[in-house]
Amino acid sequence: MKVVDFLKQKRVTLAQHPFEFKDWLSPSIRDYWIEFLSKANNSQLATWVKEQKIASTGESIAQPAPVQLHPEAEKIQAELTATLGEEIHVGDWLIVDQSRINSFAAVTEDHQWIHTDQDRAANESPFKTTIAHGFLTLSLLSVLTDSVNPENTKFPSAKMTVNYGLNQVRFPYPVKEGNRVRARTKIQSVTPIKRGLEIVQEISVEIEGCRRPGCVAESVIRLYF
């Protein structure tokens, strides 16, 4: 039987049970299929179709209740919203020496020679020296953005600040042993959530004397009041 004929026969079943189709696919194609379905379900077109279906049946669209913000949260939201897209913080320089790199290697058990073997790196590495782990650079974001200084809390009126995660991370250029780095921060968005605010920041780790950054990350934090 031809594939086209088979799919025609199965079109009703596929429409009703789309995820069963993935079981017939090879693992490599299956991932693309699942990703396609996920994007299709979350697309603007899918949202529009759902709205049109609701409108045609006369059903009402439930509107989410507005978030009631704490007065201090409203104040911070207003202050940060006024700075969207602007650079709001440039941190102090921090040196990334071999001792720091070795300590990180010991904690993570990542002892690749490009990070820890200075003699071999000098002879074989294109950078002619050891380089910091990308995740070491990433882990320094808290100190580089002054987020862990108890004497200089960025949001003192918040009861709790939570690292909610990262939307995306890139390491455009390696941080070499002995480099000094600092963070530059921009606010991307400020969104009210239950009992607080969600703040998305773009943090770029500048390498002294280098045009390209060592890390660019979109960080998400949540403030609770």
Side-chain angles (χ1 to χ4, degrees):
M1 179 183 294
K2 293 181 179 180
V3 175
V4 174
D5 294 333
F6 173 77
L7 291 177
K8 285 181 179 179
Q9 287 186 8
K10 294 293 183 179
R11 65 183 183 277
V12 176
T13 302
L14 291 174
Q16 296 175 345
H17 309 285
F19 282 94
E20 291 183 2
F21 181 55
K22 68 179 176 61
D23 297 329
W24 305 336
L25 304 174
S26 66
S28 59
I29 299 177
R30 187 181 305 155
D31 293 338
Y32 288 108
W33 175 253
I34 295 175
E35 183 180 1
F36 169 77
L37 289 179
S38 177
K39 289 182 177 179
N41 288 331
N42 294 320
S43 68
Q44 292 182 346
L45 178 60
T47 302
W48 179 83
V49 170
K50 291 176 183 178
E51 291 175 350
Q52 294 303 310
K53 182 177 180 181
I54 292 174
S56 64
T57 57
E59 299 178 20
S60 60
I61 301 176
Q63 297 295 330
V67 176
Q68 298 296 323
L69 285 178
H70 186 280
E72 288 297 328
E74 288 185 343
K75 181 180 178 181
I76 292 175
Q77 181 187 23
E79 292 174 351
L80 294 181
T81 299
T83 67
L84 290 182
E86 300 177 6
E87 191 169 79
I88 64 165
H89 178 266
V90 179
D92 296 329
W93 290 109
L94 177 73
I95 189 168
V96 181
D97 55 20
Q98 192 61 47
S99 175
R100 189 184 296 272
I101 295 172
N102 290 343
S103 296
F104 187 84
V107 170
T108 60
E109 299 187 17
D110 182 354
H111 298 279
Q112 294 184 71
W113 66 267
I114 60 173
H115 305 304
T116 60
D117 192 330
Q118 290 181 288
D119 292 335
R120 184 175 177 183
N123 293 321
E124 300 182 32
S125 171
F127 306 108
K128 302 306 178 184
T129 184
T130 52
I131 60 174
H133 308 68
F135 286 150
L136 167 55
T137 305
L138 182 65
S139 70
L140 291 173
L141 292 188
S142 293
V143 66
L144 291 174
T145 56
D146 295 334
S147 300
V148 291
N149 184 354
E151 297 179 359
N152 185 28
T153 306
K154 296 178 69 174
F155 304 105
S157 60
K159 291 182 179 179
M160 183 169 57
T161 301
V162 176
N163 176 4
Y164 197 64
L166 300 161
N167 288 336
Q168 60 181 2
V169 180
R170 295 291 184 270
F171 303 109
Y173 198 78
V175 175
K176 299 177 183 179
E177 187 276 330
N179 278 161
R180 294 204 307 167
V181 297
R182 66 179 177 182
R184 313 182 77 98
T185 305
K186 295 180 181 180
I187 300 295
Q188 300 289 79
S189 66
V190 184
T191 306
I193 59 173
K194 186 177 181 180
R195 295 186 291 116
L197 296 171
E198 180 176 283
I199 303 170
V200 179
Q201 310 173 97
E202 181 189 89
I203 305 173
S204 177
V205 178
E206 178 185 2
I207 305 172
E208 187 177 30
C210 183
R211 179 177 58 84
R212 300 172 65 185
C215 176
V216 180
E218 196 171 89
S219 169
V220 184
I221 62 172
R222 286 190 167 187
L223 307 181
Y224 293 96
F225 297 84

